[in-house]
Structure formats: C-alpha cells, structure tokens
Amino acid sequence: MNRYRSNSMTQVDQNRLVDNFLHLVKIDSESGNEKEVALDIESQLQGLGFCVERLAVPETLSNGFNIYAKLPGTLDGSIVLSCHMDTVTPGNGIQPIIEDGIIRSNGETILGGDDKSGIAAILEAVKTLQENNLAHKTIEIAFTVYEEGGLRGSQEFDCAKIESEVGIVLDSGGPIGTIIAVAPGQQNLKVTITGKPAHAGLAPEQGINALTVASDAISNMNLSRIDEETTANIGVVSGGQATNIVMPSLYLEAEARSLDEGKLAKQVSHMVETFEAAATKHGAKIDIVSSRAYNPFQIPESHPHIQSVKEVFTQLDIEPIVTSTGGGSDANIFAEKGLTIVNLSTGMAKVHTTEEYIAIEDMRKISQFLMAYLTK
C-alpha cells in the first residue's frame, strides 16, 4: 500500500503562510544586515529536516551568510529554489497591515515582499508536503544576502554545492504564472570629471566647470529607453563646494542594460565616448571605470524546464506567461554559473517603494504551485 497520498486536493495552509510571511518581514534585514533573518530561516529549514550549511560571505558585505540546504526526496528529479534574504531601504521596523486580502506596510517603509514572499512560499510548500506525507523531488535551497544593489550574495555563492541542473528563483512581480526566461545584462560606469576651480564672481572664465562638461555630455547622450531590449540611466551625481566656486569636479554613476550583448556593448561605448568627447572639448580630465554587474541570460520556451513549469501552472488553472524582464536578479548569476533557471512571480507589486503590497491569494497560489511542482 502506497503511504503517500495524492496532492491533487491538498492545499497549503494560507493562514500559516501569511503568519510566517508577517513574521519574516518584521525582521530587519536591509542589505548587509541579514544575520538575524538568516538565523531565523536556518532554524525553520532545520525544523523541516533540511541539512543546512552556512556559506560565508565577506564581512565587508554582510553580517549574515548565504544558506545552502538540501532535503532528499523519493521522486525522480531535483530542483534548487532560490530567494534573497535582504531588502532595500527603508526596511527597518516594518509594520505590515492587512486590508481586504492585501498585505502592505504602514506607508513608512517598504513591505519586504521582495523577497520574503518567495521564502515564505517555499517554507509553506514544504510544510504542507511533509504533514501530508507527500512524495517529492529532492529540494535544494539557495538563499542569498545582498541581492539588492548588485547581486553580491549570489556572486559569492558556492554553486559547487548545488547538485540540481535546474532551478527556480522566486523574485519577480506580475501575475502569478509569470515566467521570466530572458533577462538583461548590466554594465556600470563610474565617472569622475575633473575641471578647474576659479572664483565664480571674479574670474569664472579661468575655471573649467565639471558640471558644464557633464551637462554637455548628457545632452548628447542616448539615455532612458534605447530600444525594446536596451535601457540606460544616470542615477548618481555629486559634486560642488560652494556657489562662488566654479565646480572643480563631479562624480557620476551610470548604467546600461540590454537583453542583447552586442547592443549592450554598443550603448556602453556610446556613453564612454560621449563623456570623453565632452571632456576633451572643455579641457577637463575624465576617469571612467566600467564594470560588468551581471550577464544576460535566455532560456528558449521550448526547453523542458520551461515546459515543465508551464505544465504545472496549467494544471492549477493558472495561465503561464513566458516573458522577459528589464531587471536583473540572482537568476542572472546562477545562469552564468551553469544552472538552467527561471524567475517566477510571487505577485509582489510596487517593490522598492513605501507603497509595496502583495495579495494573500497570490501568495497562496505560488506556494500551491511549488507544492504541485515538487510532487510532479
């Protein structure tokens, strides 16, 4: 007699799912300060029978650690499930509020559904599997620190630990059923323009205004939406000493992203050349540091992993939507390290703002999907 019961009618415990999500978001974990939430998640995974390993990261990166965990299954197949444990600011002292089936913050902070909604969904799916004695695939966990602001935790993650060939990152918005199979690469530029100071009232013509150089460059630069696959932005600008001093130096941080490697290289080259041309025109010095944040990844919709994910969503009467995104995630890094991996929506909305929210029904659906996928 088979001791395992069918999962066709088994439902995750929505109340328990929500309670754990609320518990997790109340733990302060802005990027670099993940220790407390990592310890809590480690304890929960151990309580579910996972073999858990702490993977150290540089102390300059975080006071916490990456988590690798494994729970052997009896069904064929293995999958690594991944989320990040950090949040953006303002993410301390989060007070979640539930109104009409929607969880949001009190408006003073972000909510933290990015990415604790994914963590809560995974934990609830496993709890449901175990309390109903359901056979499942081997489950591996890759939870990371410092995803926000550069995917730093996943870059440090020791993927030699991971035995699975396929993975799912739970770190996207949109309708449940959204499958991110294409994501851009990103190149960062750090630009220092050095002009020449002078008294702005007595002899401004003797100076070289670094801001004038920057504005000349930016006015000739293609920015924002370049095409359907490519974007560019200047997001940080700092400089100046006083209104009566011709600005002697200016620092900028910029980025370019594209789904296409060739287009990314072309856009970065354009930005660098435009900055350099403006500096030469005005007689300023310029220093540009260009660095790759992460590479693009793309999985064809025909790939068996995509088809398997789509099949489970369809079985749950959820329309699968295979699409691309303009944002990067840990999926970019894990794909670069050899995993075939997709990023799924948990239903999070208006992330990185104090208006962030998530619907309880969406959290239930993605947790239900995980349970169904793991028992497939």
Side-chain angles (χ1 to χ4, degrees):
M1 180 177 177
N2 189 346
R3 71 182 183 92
Y4 294 104
R5 292 176 288 181
S6 168
N7 71 325
S8 59
M9 299 299 292
T10 305
Q11 299 293 313
V12 298
D13 187 328
Q14 179 174 291
N15 291 332
R16 183 173 60 191
L17 168 64
V18 170
D19 286 346
N20 198 27
F21 174 69
L22 298 180
H23 163 73
L24 289 170
V25 300
K26 289 178 182 178
I27 302 174
D28 293 348
S29 58
E30 291 180 349
S31 300
N33 182 39
E34 297 94 344
K35 181 178 180 180
E36 186 177 349
V37 74
L39 289 171
D40 187 279
I41 293 168
E42 176 187 51
S43 177
Q44 291 199 49
L45 289 169
Q46 289 171 336
L48 292 170
F50 280 86
C51 178
V52 184
E53 292 185 52
R54 297 182 185 181
L55 304 185
V57 299
E59 292 182 1
T60 53
L61 181 63
S62 172
N63 62 3
F65 46 88
N66 286 330
I67 292 177
Y68 169 76
K70 181 180 179 181
L71 183 67
T74 56
L75 296 181
D76 292 338
S78 176
I79 182 79
V80 60
L81 304 176
S82 180
C83 299
H84 64 86
M85 298 179 285
D86 62 314
T87 71
V88 297
T89 59
N92 292 333
I94 294 172
Q95 294 297 320
I97 295 171
I98 301 178
E99 295 176 337
D100 300 322
I102 302 294
I103 307 176
R104 63 181 77 250
S105 78
N106 63 2
E108 299 296 320
T109 66
I110 51 114
L111 174 63
D114 180 10
D115 192 22
K116 293 175 182 176
S117 58
I119 295 171
I122 292 170
L123 293 171
E124 178 54 38
V126 176
K127 290 174 185 176
T128 303
L129 292 176
Q130 293 190 341
E131 68 186 8
N132 288 277
N133 292 325
L134 295 174
H136 59 79
K137 296 177 172 70
T138 293
I139 306 167
E140 294 184 282
I141 296 293
F143 288 160
T144 63
V145 299
Y146 219 115
E147 188 269 355
E148 305 290 4
L151 315 182
R152 300 282 302 282
S154 54
Q155 291 172 1
E156 296 288 339
F157 200 95
D158 181 7
C159 281
K161 299 285 186 183
I162 298 174
E163 300 172 8
S164 303
E165 296 182 352
V166 296
I168 292 173
V169 170
L170 294 153
D171 187 20
S172 183
I176 300 299
T178 299
I179 305 166
I180 303 297
V182 182
Q186 177 180 317
Q187 191 80 6
N188 293 332
L189 298 178
K190 295 183 178 181
V191 182
T192 302
I193 300 171
T194 303
K196 182 180 179 181
H199 195 290
L202 298 179
E205 64 278 354
Q206 295 179 8
I208 300 174
N209 194 313
L211 181 58
T212 301
V213 178
S215 62
D216 191 350
I218 293 169
S219 67
N220 290 291
M221 193 175 295
N222 298 325
L223 294 170
S224 191
R225 172 66 63 183
I226 309 303
D227 59 36
E228 69 279 0
E229 295 182 313
T230 312
T231 61
N233 184 56
I234 295 174
V236 175
V237 179
S238 62
Q241 298 171 341
T243 60
N244 64 347
I245 302 175
V246 172
M247 188 181 295
S249 64
L250 186 70
Y251 173 77
L252 305 96
E253 290 186 11
E255 67 162 49
R257 305 185 188 202
S258 184
L259 302 176
D260 181 271
E261 192 68 63
K263 290 181 177 180
L264 178 58
K266 181 179 179 180
Q267 175 62 26
V268 171
S269 178
H270 160 72
M271 295 170 75
V272 169
E273 290 172 1
T274 305
F275 274 124
E276 290 176 341
T280 299
K281 174 183 174 181
H282 293 274
K285 296 179 181 179
I286 192 164
D287 178 70
I288 302 175
V289 178
S290 179
S291 60
R292 178 55 60 99
Y294 48 82
N295 293 325
F297 82 93
Q298 181 169 358
I299 305 173
E301 188 169 347
S302 60
H303 193 283
H305 185 37
I306 300 279
Q307 292 302 311
S308 180
V309 171
K310 286 178 63 178
E311 181 182 333
V312 175
F313 276 127
T314 301
Q315 289 173 349
L316 296 174
D317 294 323
I318 298 171
E319 180 184 1
I321 307 165
V322 181
T323 187
S324 63
T325 181
S329 73
D330 283 343
N332 289 73
I333 304 301
F334 288 130
E336 184 179 343
K337 293 184 176 185
L339 277 171
T340 299
I341 198 161
V342 295
N343 188 359
L344 303 186
S345 170
T346 66
M348 61 177 85
K350 293 191 175 182
V351 299
H352 296 192
T353 77
T354 55
E355 298 178 346
E356 182 188 356
Y357 68 89
I358 192 167
I360 291 175
E361 176 63 8
D362 283 346
M363 291 183 61
R364 184 197 66 79
K365 284 181 178 179
I366 193 61
S367 189
Q368 195 72 37
F369 160 83
L370 289 170
M371 196 194 69
Y373 181 89
L374 292 169
T375 55
K376 182 175 179 294

